[in-house]
């Protein structure tokens, strides 16, 4: 059984990144809630269903998401990660490569962490 703590939160976060890079939508579903909302560095908003569809279509490609300066905060069954990352992603039209700052919210449900919200902002070079 997984415990609700900072270590399990970080493990869920890494599992999510690994699943994105591997285009593994089954693994992604384990750590991303169906109710997830993602706000990208361009201000666009997408859902988990949008992410899964884009991965299956081959238009969403995450080549790199190297996180650093990670801090965790736990508020009962809510976990928040604040971090920066060197990223390289593509939506099939535009490729983004650079640094982003992220706020990612996870919710403890059904014995594990699931990401329910993320917001990314571009950082200056």
């Amino acid at each position: 059984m997984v415990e609700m703590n900072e270590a399990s939160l970080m493990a869920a976060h890494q599992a999510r990144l690994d699943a994105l890079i591997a285009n593994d939508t089954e693994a992604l579903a384990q750590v991303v809630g169906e109710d997830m909302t993602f706000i990208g560095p361009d201000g666009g908003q997408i859902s988990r269903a949008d992410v899964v569809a884009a991965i299956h279509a081959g238009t969403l490609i995450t080549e790199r998401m190297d996180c650093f300066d990670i801090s965790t905060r736990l508020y009962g069954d809510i976990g928040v990660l604040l971090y920066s990352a060197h990223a390289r992603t593509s939506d099939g039209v535009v490729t983004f490569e650079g640094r982003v700052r992220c706020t990612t919210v996870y919710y403890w449900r059904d014995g594990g962490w699931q990401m329910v919200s993320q917001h990314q902002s571009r950082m200056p070079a």
Side-chain angles (χ1 to χ4, degrees):
M1 181 174 162
V2 177
E3 290 187 43
M4 183 174 50
N5 56 32
E6 289 181 1
S8 65
L9 176 60
M10 288 297 299
H13 177 67
Q14 188 60 53
R16 182 182 67 83
L17 296 177
D18 292 345
L20 278 172
I21 291 168
N23 295 320
D24 185 343
T25 57
E26 288 183 28
L28 197 62
Q30 299 301 307
V31 289
V32 175
E34 289 183 32
D35 54 344
M36 183 275 298
T37 300
F38 171 76
I39 309 295
D42 64 352
Q45 179 176 318
I46 60 175
S47 67
R48 183 179 95 173
D50 297 329
V51 169
V52 169
I55 288 172
H56 284 288
T59 56
L60 177 62
I61 300 166
T62 304
E63 291 181 31
R64 177 176 156 188
M65 188 64 64
D66 301 326
C67 301
F68 60 98
D69 293 337
I70 302 171
S71 68
T72 58
R73 298 177 183 176
L74 295 178
Y75 303 99
D77 55 5
I78 302 294
V80 178
L81 292 177
L82 303 168
Y83 61 95
S84 300
H86 294 285
R88 181 173 170 79
T89 60
S90 175
D91 65 5
V93 177
V94 176
T95 297
F96 170 79
E97 184 166 11
R99 295 185 319 154
V100 291
R101 188 166 317 275
C102 306
T103 302
T104 307
V105 180
Y106 286 82
Y107 178 59
W108 183 265
R109 60 167 68 128
D110 300 326
W113 293 107
Q114 286 196 327
M115 185 182 100
V116 294
S117 180
Q118 183 177 65
H119 184 260
Q120 292 185 348
S121 298
R122 289 186 175 135
M123 296 174 62

